[in-house]
Amino acid sequence: MIDTPYLEVDVDRMTRNLAVLADRARSAGVDFRPHAKTHKCAEIARMQIDSGATGLAVATIGEAEAFADAADITSCTDIFIAYPIWPTPAKAARLRALADRVSLRVGVDSAEGARHLGALLGGQRVEALVEVDSGQHRTGTAPGDAGGVAAAGVSAGLDVVGVFTFPGHGYGVGDTRRRAAEQEVAALRTAAESLRAQGIDPRVRSGGSTPTVEFVGDPTYAGVLTEIRPGVYPLNDAQQVEIGTCGFDDVALTAVATVVRSEPGRIVLDAGSKILGADRAAWATGHGRLLDHPDARVVQLSEHHAVVEFPAESTSAPRLGDVIRVVPNHVCTAVNLVDELVAIDGSDSRWPVIARGHNS
Amino acid sequence: MIDTPYLEVDVDRMTRNLAVLADRARSAGVDFRPHAKTHKCAEIARMQIDSGATGLAVATIGEAEAFADAADITSCTDIFIAYPIWPTPAKAARLRALADRVSLRVGVDSAEGARHLGALLGGQRVEALVEVDSGQHRTGTAPGDAGGVAAAGVSAGLDVVGVFTFPGHGYGVGDTRRRAAEQEVAALRTAAESLRAQGIDPRVRSGGSTPTVEFVGDPTYAGVLTEIRPGVYPLNDAQQVEIGTCGFDDVALTAVATVVRSEPGRIVLDAGSKILGADRAAWATGHGRLLDHPDARVVQLSEHHAVVEFPAESTSAPRLGDVIRVVPNHVCTAVNLVDELVAIDGSDSRWPVIARGHNS
């Protein structure tokens, strides 16, 4: 009996999710490099590698260090920091130390950034991918400019091996996912051509998010991409349910919470934004969902309270003191709020969130 | 030189903020019990006690334990868990252990909850306040029902000493704060009368949030309230700036971030929702603000990216590699994402966030 609120992983469900996407990558003939920022756990990374992943993606140098430190558990020494790092000398020293012990790949998205990174790496060979913007409009250069960035990187001593993008604009309802996947393919194709025009072989063409990997079997998609990097898929979350990537039966992580107040049609839970996270997209129907009550909505969220409303006709609303399961909107930020996950695997293991808070 | 992103505290500004509110409470003749969930740091709690605070408020049993453990630093053994806890036997044992070493007060907001808590405390005397809803519609009973809850608590062995509310609906623009303060006073007055009607002395009448304590000097306000519990005021945040509680010069906590991409009128920072938090009220102008660029807006936030736009006429936009300061929307959730705060006090102390993640 653990005191609520806490985060729990349904290991059977997760194992099934791991197999589905690994199979999909295998069928499509692309490499599979899951993004470990979602779970930040060595145990889950190990299961991903065992399912056929060729390496891990991470977002920061600190996350790469945490997973390099856990290589005895993960059996993985192939790490891609999928981020256009602007290093200080101190960060560059950390990158060099990492490159001494794992196969390290990093992102660049501007000629100036590539030159700066190459100079600070001081001749140490590190693989680099040029990030291109496929429509999210976050980081990433225009696809047609990727060759110029790549050439700057090569001149600065980087081992530029290809291009990558994150189709984060695929998070949405309707045909948003398919359109983002089409833009992703188009951007990577253009970027690859841009590298070839500079005489640089774009042998790695990396994309894929949990919402868009559904399309990896399409010949146009797999014909361009050589690697996918979904993150959320082992655990899933309310966002994935609401955009249609998965069903409630595929959700493997929940916040276990206690009802601390109950009124007709309305309850308040002890799980708030400090364990669920506060992410809420414009199209989200609330601040998370209840796994066993699809008709309920989390209408208000504060740090340690979730206010949940039920339809007037509902007869199944939980009562004061009941313990129930909440599906966070965005699992990556929920996991980052706890030191360990409770794994429901027959022995109630605790999995340390080894890269929690490794922002730098 | 610390690797970005990280959270930094301007200790001079914080010291000024501490004095302003302590003076305001003193002038109004009310007790001052700051909410420690904001900073979760023993060092800041100590400065609050030194400024005249009579005790601390916290949100969870775990936070109370962390501050009880740090009593040698804080010199405070008076803790109010301002939350209607529904304990399991395990949580009740933790409460009993806490009550053995600090002066402990807890919240109740239903007769059933009060009976349950009293029964599980097994005769150990713990002070309780009845929570009432002053308009936020989260937890808290209707003010007129407070006496019934109090009577149930007394029957169950609780030492009911008064009432409390949190006017969280005071977070808003225009006259939202003043209206919430008026509702807060009305609710506490009604609740106090409700306790008196049951023959229970409501000697503690606790309210006050950072947005509403501006009005504590009003005779109606201080005439009803005996205690205020603001949380955010030592550090402040973009929410407080945008609702008019403070100015940018009063913001004492920032996320220090590096520009990792730069285009005309637009930059991307390495500080995302995993260090800024993702709170964004409907009235917020973005996902945080830039301390030294009030004309900029954080238009897009992901886990490790903040996309910032500047007005077309702006000539001051930072450049690639520049290090700048971001003001989180909600400081309480930002602090909860890091293990320590960097205190700019002449010696760059590191303050451990001792109650980070203590959700249960």
Side-chain angles (χ1 to χ4, degrees):
Chain A
M1 192 71 184
I2 307 156
D3 288 342
T4 65
Y6 61 90
L7 296 186
E8 175 178 285
V9 176
D10 182 325
V11 178
D12 286 344
R13 285 187 179 195
M14 188 181 74
T15 303
R16 197 177 62 207
N17 294 339
L18 290 171
V20 168
L21 241 63
D23 287 346
R24 194 175 293 165
R26 227 176 338 256
S27 302
V30 297
D31 286 340
F32 188 36
R33 184 187 290 278
H35 208 308
K37 73 174 170 67
T38 294
H39 53 73
K40 298 175 184 281
C41 282
E43 287 77 6
I44 299 179
R46 171 58 184 258
M47 293 169 78
Q48 291 177 314
I49 296 296
D50 286 347
S51 79
T54 50
L56 297 172
V58 298
T60 67
I61 300 173
E63 288 182 350
E65 290 167 336
F67 281 99
D69 290 346
D72 57 328
I73 299 176
T74 66
S75 72
C76 171
T77 56
D78 184 339
I79 298 177
F80 171 34
I81 306 175
Y83 196 91
I85 302 162
W86 178 276
T88 54
K91 278 192 176 173
R94 292 168 62 197
L95 285 171
R96 288 197 303 269
L98 265 172
D100 281 338
R101 58 193 185 123
V102 298
S103 171
L104 185 68
R105 190 175 285 171
V106 300
V108 291
D109 82 339
S110 68
E112 189 178 351
R115 281 191 290 267
H116 175 74
L117 177 65
L120 284 184
L121 287 178
Q124 179 153 0
R125 296 289 283 185
V126 170
E127 287 187 347
L129 297 188
V130 178
E131 184 179 15
V132 296
D133 177 16
S134 54
Q136 187 185 18
H137 307 318
R138 193 173 68 177
T139 44
T141 190
D145 296 338
V149 175
V154 170
S155 297
L158 298 178
D159 185 13
V160 179
V161 297
V163 294
F164 80 106
T165 193
F166 175 64
H169 58 307
Y171 278 76
V173 291
D175 67 343
T176 306
R177 289 188 287 137
R178 175 174 288 279
R179 280 189 290 117
E182 289 168 356
Q183 291 175 307
E184 179 186 10
V185 171
L188 289 175
R189 184 186 292 116
T190 302
E193 287 163 4
S194 180
L195 260 65
R196 287 192 196 99
Q198 296 285 341
I200 299 167
D201 177 22
R203 68 175 170 85
V204 179
R205 301 177 297 275
S206 177
S209 61
T210 298
T212 57
V213 287
E214 176 180 340
F215 309 104
V216 72
D218 295 2
T220 48
Y221 198 99
V224 173
L225 272 74
T226 63
E227 175 181 280
I228 55 171
R229 307 186 317 278
V232 170
Y233 80 98
L235 300 171
N236 287 318
D237 55 27
Q239 289 188 156
Q240 301 296 336
V241 171
E242 295 199 341
I243 67 176
T245 306
C246 73
F248 276 113
D249 289 348
D250 306 309
V251 172
L253 181 136
T254 50
V256 182
T258 299
V259 179
V260 296
R261 183 167 180 80
S262 173
E263 298 168 22
R266 182 180 177 278
I267 58 173
V268 184
L269 304 173
D270 64 358
S273 65
K274 280 181 174 168
I275 190 151
L276 297 173
D279 289 52
R280 184 181 177 177
W283 41 260
T285 68
H287 303 274
R289 295 289 290 270
L290 269 51
L291 187 63
D292 305 300
H293 301 274
D295 56 347
R297 289 296 180 274
V298 182
V299 297
Q300 187 183 333
L301 192 72
S302 31
E303 288 157 67
H304 299 282
H305 305 74
V307 179
V308 184
E309 287 181 355
F310 289 77
E313 66 277 15
S314 176
T315 55
S316 67
R319 301 170 61 170
L320 191 56
D322 282 356
V323 173
I324 65 170
R325 295 180 288 180
V326 188
V327 184
N329 269 349
H330 186 190
V331 67
C332 308
T333 52
V335 167
N336 188 50
L337 293 165
V338 299
D339 290 321
E340 58 184 20
L341 303 176
V342 178
I344 306 302
D345 59 358
S347 61
D348 285 8
S349 309
R350 307 294 178 95
W351 291 342
V353 183
I354 58 170
R356 181 197 55 71
H358 288 219
N359 286 307
S360 66
Chain B
M1 191 71 185
I2 307 156
D3 288 342
T4 65
Y6 61 90
L7 297 185
E8 175 179 283
V9 176
D10 181 324
V11 179
D12 285 344
R13 285 186 178 194
M14 187 182 74
T15 304
R16 196 176 65 206
N17 294 339
L18 291 171
V20 168
L21 240 65
D23 286 348
R24 195 175 291 166
R26 226 174 342 254
S27 302
V30 297
D31 286 340
F32 187 36
R33 183 188 291 276
H35 208 308
K37 73 174 170 67
T38 295
H39 53 71
K40 298 176 184 281
C41 282
E43 287 77 7
I44 299 179
R46 171 58 184 257
M47 294 170 79
Q48 291 178 314
I49 298 295
D50 286 347
S51 79
T54 51
L56 297 172
V58 298
T60 67
I61 301 174
E63 288 182 350
E65 290 167 336
F67 281 99
D69 290 345
D72 57 328
I73 299 176
T74 65
S75 72
C76 171
T77 56
D78 185 339
I79 298 177
F80 171 35
I81 306 175
Y83 195 91
I85 301 162
W86 179 276
T88 54
K91 277 192 177 173
R94 293 168 61 196
L95 285 171
R96 289 197 302 271
L98 265 171
D100 282 337
R101 57 191 184 126
V102 299
S103 172
L104 185 67
R105 189 176 284 172
V106 300
V108 291
D109 82 339
S110 68
E112 188 179 352
R115 281 191 291 266
H116 175 73
L117 177 65
L120 284 184
L121 288 178
Q124 178 154 0
R125 296 289 283 184
V126 170
E127 288 188 347
L129 297 188
V130 178
E131 184 179 14
V132 297
D133 177 16
S134 54
Q136 187 185 19
H137 307 319
R138 193 173 67 177
T139 45
T141 190
D145 295 337
V149 175
V154 170
S155 297
L158 298 178
D159 185 13
V160 179
V161 297
V163 293
F164 80 106
T165 194
F166 175 64
H169 58 308
Y171 277 76
V173 292
D175 67 344
T176 306
R177 290 189 286 138
R178 175 174 288 278
R179 280 188 291 117
E182 289 167 358
Q183 292 175 306
E184 179 186 9
V185 171
L188 289 175
R189 183 187 291 115
T190 301
E193 287 162 5
S194 180
L195 261 66
R196 287 192 195 98
Q198 296 283 340
I200 299 167
D201 176 22
R203 68 173 170 83
V204 178
R205 301 177 298 276
S206 178
S209 62
T210 297
T212 57
V213 287
E214 176 180 338
F215 309 104
V216 71
D218 293 3
T220 48
Y221 198 102
V224 172
L225 273 74
T226 63
E227 175 181 279
I228 56 171
R229 306 186 317 277
V232 172
Y233 79 98
L235 301 170
N236 286 318
D237 55 26
Q239 289 189 156
Q240 301 297 335
V241 171
E242 295 199 342
I243 67 176
T245 307
C246 74
F248 277 112
D249 289 349
D250 305 310
V251 172
L253 180 136
T254 50
V256 182
T258 299
V259 179
V260 296
R261 183 167 179 82
S262 173
E263 297 169 23
R266 181 181 178 277
I267 59 173
V268 184
L269 304 173
D270 64 359
S273 65
K274 280 182 174 168
I275 191 152
L276 296 174
D279 289 53
R280 183 181 177 176
W283 41 260
T285 67
H287 302 274
R289 295 289 291 268
L290 269 51
L291 186 64
D292 305 301
H293 302 274
D295 56 347
R297 289 296 180 276
V298 182
V299 296
Q300 187 184 333
L301 192 71
S302 31
E303 289 158 65
H304 298 282
H305 305 74
V307 179
V308 184
E309 288 182 356
F310 289 78
E313 66 275 17
S314 176
T315 55
S316 67
R319 300 171 61 171
L320 192 56
D322 282 356
V323 174
I324 65 170
R325 294 180 290 180
V326 188
V327 184
N329 269 349
H330 186 191
V331 68
C332 308
T333 52
V335 167
N336 189 50
L337 293 165
V338 300
D339 289 321
E340 58 185 18
L341 303 176
V342 178
I344 306 302
D345 59 357
S347 60
D348 284 8
S349 308
R350 307 294 176 96
W351 291 343
V353 182
I354 57 169
R356 181 197 54 72
H358 287 218
N359 286 309
S360 65

